[in-house]
Amino acid sequence: MNDIFVSESVVKSQLDIADKLKTEENKKVCILTFGCQQNEADSEILSGICERAGYAETDNPKEADLILINTCAIREHAELKALSRTGQFKKLKEQNKGLLIGVCGCMAEQKERREALMKSYPYVDFVFGTDRLFMLPEIIKNAKTAKKRGVYISDLPHGEFGIIAEGLPLRRNSLHKAKVSIMYGCDNFCTYCVVPYVRGRERSRNSQAVLKEVEGLVLSGYKDIMLLGQNVNSYNGDISFPKLLEKAGSFDGEYFLRFMTSHPKDASSELVDVIRDVPNVAKQFHLPVQSGNNRVLSAMNRRYTREKYLEKALEIKSKVPGITMTTDIICGFPTETEEEFLETVDIIKQVEFDMIFTFLYSPRPGTPAAKMDDQIPHEEKVRRFELLSSVQNDIADKINESYVGKTVRVLCDSFENGMCSGRTSGNKIVNFTGSSKIGSFANVKITSSAAYTLKGEEI
Ligand code: SAM
Ligand code: SF4
């Protein structure tokens, strides 16, 4: 197990290189992040390393000396967005030969994608994989001197890689919201999903390291902390995930402790009890169902049935009344028939989710589902998507109406012209009149509702 940890001396040697790079002044880095919270968390590490190497952060690529593009491969659309952005930097490189451009993240991990990218974008100086973040100082140093373009990818065979590097610097995007990775990678191999191939094997941080980070955040005034992992329920540090959640939620002070994501096959009753019993643990549960039909679930390799899912969802709702339940759904998985799709519509109605995240199935090269016969036409995926959205809008409308007249605790995220906006423990968006400061809690009486927002006034 220990061999997955990057040794302290290796991390230190990288940070020493960063310190040497710092001697050059007035440098700026622009980091573009695509995709999920894990990529956002990785970009905060990239930013922290760059800060250590003397780079201020800028949103404007035109004033950057270094551009890092942190890509996502989960759906084709995400890949196209990252490529189109990379294409826009050709001119900047022509105008400024000293500009360094690097591509990292999930696309960089896929051999074919990486090779195509290096070929089509000759001005990209280097690419590095999802578990090479800790090497960024060396990567930048090499790019400044090397004649060759750099490629930094784990040298283990595809799908078998994965390391953990502790002690890297972080530059967080927010002063009151933070993400804490508790584990990396995924071993589930759902047949549609590229994550296990681009993020490597499942591996967990030690609980002491996680808890120290959470405690530090609470002490510095962070109020919304998200524990991150592709399947937090299979967290395999020295304690179980429910225990970790309980401990992380028990530091002094008021804060929302969230987690993302939970695989239904291992969401335990103990976990539901912790959500119910620990006040700081947010009353929110994201439990991706993907499909409501048993044949499709089996073809997706999800390893739970519709019945088991319903049982778990109903247990959560009955143990934690008022909890916000959300889910992910894939529309138009290959071979999905109309009858099978209607079972997904039915499960949405039965559970009554507060929100669903619906995705059109996107074939991912190298995954089993991409090779299946009977791929569903795009228009049909869109039709199913629209039907689900309209059913869900009515459900969300009805749930949110039940908040009118109630008082909820809201963490304020923004304030402009007397209007505040924030989130509840259940992650509901509330827009309200008041004078709350960003990062502080307010009691808000809800006066009206829409499907995905609540309106109210501070009391
Ligand atoms: N680990 C999480 C889980 O199992 O629920 C999911 C992580 S994935 C980044 C987020 C969501 O993207 C998935 O729940 C799934 O609905 C969606 N997704 C993954 N692969 C997809 C694909 N090939 N096409 C469409 N949606 C996909
Ligand atoms: Fe992808 Fe399945 Fe792993 Fe989630 S659990 S990241 S959907 S393979």
Side-chain angles (χ1 to χ4, degrees):
M1 171 97 173
N2 275 337
D3 58 348
I4 60 165
F5 286 91
V6 177
S7 73
E8 271 179 41
S9 62
V10 168
V11 171
K12 184 175 174 305
S13 70
Q14 289 294 330
L15 296 181
D16 288 346
I17 300 175
D19 291 338
K20 286 196 187 117
L21 288 169
K22 198 167 187 163
T23 49
E24 304 154 31
E25 282 173 2
N26 295 328
K27 292 172 300 184
K28 288 189 178 159
V29 60
C30 176
I31 302 176
L32 300 160
T33 310
F34 297 87
C36 66
Q37 276 105 339
Q38 186 58 62
N39 265 15
E40 287 170 15
D42 285 351
S43 284
E44 292 188 338
I45 293 179
L46 295 174
S47 180
I49 297 177
C50 286
E51 183 175 40
R52 178 90 176 230
Y55 288 87
E57 190 150 5
T58 175
D59 289 340
N60 183 357
K62 287 188 185 146
E63 55 181 43
D65 305 279
L66 169 65
I67 297 175
L68 295 175
I69 304 147
N70 192 358
T71 60
C72 169
I74 199 83
R75 283 171 287 276
E76 190 186 14
H77 183 62
E79 292 189 327
L80 294 177
K81 271 204 316 208
L83 290 178
S84 125
R85 209 66 179 95
T86 309
Q88 291 164 11
F89 298 136
K90 184 170 181 233
K91 273 222 166 65
L92 288 185
K93 185 80 176 188
E94 282 165 5
Q95 289 158 4
N96 173 9
K97 294 279 182 244
L99 170 67
L100 293 179
I101 301 177
V103 175
C104 59
C106 295
M107 274 180 81
E109 280 295 346
Q110 298 170 292
K111 190 166 181 285
E112 293 75 22
R113 289 285 189 273
R114 184 169 65 241
E115 286 171 359
L117 189 135
M118 292 298 264
K119 194 162 166 230
S120 310
Y121 304 89
Y123 46 89
V124 167
D125 297 283
F126 54 87
V127 288
F128 59 105
T130 50
D131 71 350
R132 302 288 105 175
L133 261 57
F134 72 99
M135 284 180 64
L136 185 59
E138 186 181 331
I139 295 172
I140 299 174
K141 185 183 127 213
N142 290 348
K144 279 172 175 289
T145 50
K147 307 260 176 301
K148 247 173 63 194
R149 300 157 87 200
V151 177
Y152 304 85
I153 301 294
S154 177
D155 39 22
L156 290 168
H158 220 47
E160 286 174 23
F161 64 96
I163 51 96
I164 294 182
E166 291 288 355
L168 296 174
L170 261 171
R171 180 157 55 186
R172 295 195 188 271
N173 283 334
S174 158
L175 292 173
H176 71 285
K177 282 185 158 189
K179 296 178 248 323
V180 176
S181 297
I182 64 164
M183 58 193 296
Y184 305 93
C186 181
D187 285 350
N188 284 315
F189 290 94
C190 301
T191 54
Y192 50 81
C193 184
V194 79
V195 170
Y197 306 91
V198 294
R199 286 269 169 197
R201 297 289 51 78
E202 207 167 81
R203 56 218 186 261
S204 302
R205 293 176 69 194
N206 287 330
S207 67
Q208 298 95 306
V210 173
L211 292 170
K212 197 168 152 215
E213 188 172 339
V214 174
E215 184 177 23
L217 288 166
V218 174
L219 286 171
S220 356
Y222 279 83
K223 303 286 182 211
D224 190 314
I225 300 169
M226 163 94 73
L227 304 184
L228 275 185
Q230 289 301 344
N231 175 15
V232 290
N233 301 324
S234 50
Y235 171 76
N236 188 24
D238 40 327
I239 54 178
S240 69
F241 179 64
K243 273 275 166 292
L244 181 75
L245 189 66
E246 184 181 356
K247 285 176 185 252
S250 302
F251 294 112
D252 277 348
E254 182 180 12
Y255 54 101
F256 293 149
L257 180 68
R258 309 184 190 279
F259 60 90
M260 183 83 107
T261 297
S262 223
H263 194 297
K265 79 177 160 53
D266 358 75
S268 66
S269 297
E270 194 192 350
L271 174 61
V272 186
D273 294 347
V274 172
I275 299 174
R276 179 193 58 199
D277 298 338
V278 180
N280 282 335
V281 175
K283 308 304 171 223
Q284 162 196 16
F285 210 125
H286 183 64
L287 195 63
V289 65
Q290 314 296 358
S291 163
N293 171 266
N294 282 337
R295 191 201 62 82
V296 175
L297 284 172
S298 165
M300 288 177 165
N301 191 29
R302 290 293 284 178
R303 285 174 282 167
Y304 53 84
T305 59
R306 169 192 174 86
E307 292 73 25
K308 279 275 172 233
Y309 184 93
L310 275 171
E311 197 184 298
K312 189 51 64 188
L314 298 179
E315 176 192 346
I316 296 166
K317 284 200 149 190
S318 69
K319 276 190 176 167
V320 195
I323 193 168
T324 300
M325 288 275 300
T326 54
T327 198
D328 289 348
I329 292 185
I330 294 184
C331 282
F333 181 80
T335 73
E336 182 188 65
T337 65
E338 178 68 8
E339 290 69 38
E340 289 167 341
F341 164 68
L342 290 175
E343 284 200 61
T344 302
V345 178
D346 181 70
I347 210 166
I348 300 305
K349 291 183 179 163
Q350 281 202 47
V351 178
E352 298 196 320
F353 293 102
D354 292 78
M355 196 187 281
I356 61 174
F357 298 88
T358 317
F359 306 103
L360 302 189
Y361 168 72
S362 170
R364 301 290 67 215
T367 59
K371 296 180 204 110
M372 287 178 186
D373 293 335
D374 293 333
Q375 298 282 327
I376 308 292
H378 177 75
E379 309 72 60
E380 180 55 21
K381 290 181 198 167
V382 173
R383 187 191 69 78
R384 293 179 190 179
F385 178 100
E386 284 170 356
L387 177 61
L388 273 174
S389 304
S390 101
V391 170
Q392 176 56 29
N393 280 349
D394 292 345
I395 296 170
D397 245 340
K398 193 180 94 186
I399 296 178
N400 275 2
E401 254 173 46
S402 71
Y403 279 81
V404 177
K406 290 185 180 153
T407 298
V408 291
R409 195 92 175 125
V410 180
L411 176 63
C412 180
D413 286 329
S414 68
F415 176 77
E416 222 179 307
N417 302 329
M419 268 314 269
C420 306
S421 181
R423 300 241 174 191
T424 63
S425 166
N427 215 21
K428 297 256 175 202
I429 299 173
V430 183
N431 298 322
F432 60 102
T433 48
S435 54
S436 277
K437 288 205 188 78
I438 294 176
S440 67
F441 285 100
N443 291 323
V444 177
K445 183 160 184 193
I446 302 303
T447 50
S448 67
S449 71
Y452 298 107
T453 48
L454 300 169
K455 267 197 187 154
E457 48 204 37
E458 191 172 348
I459 53 168

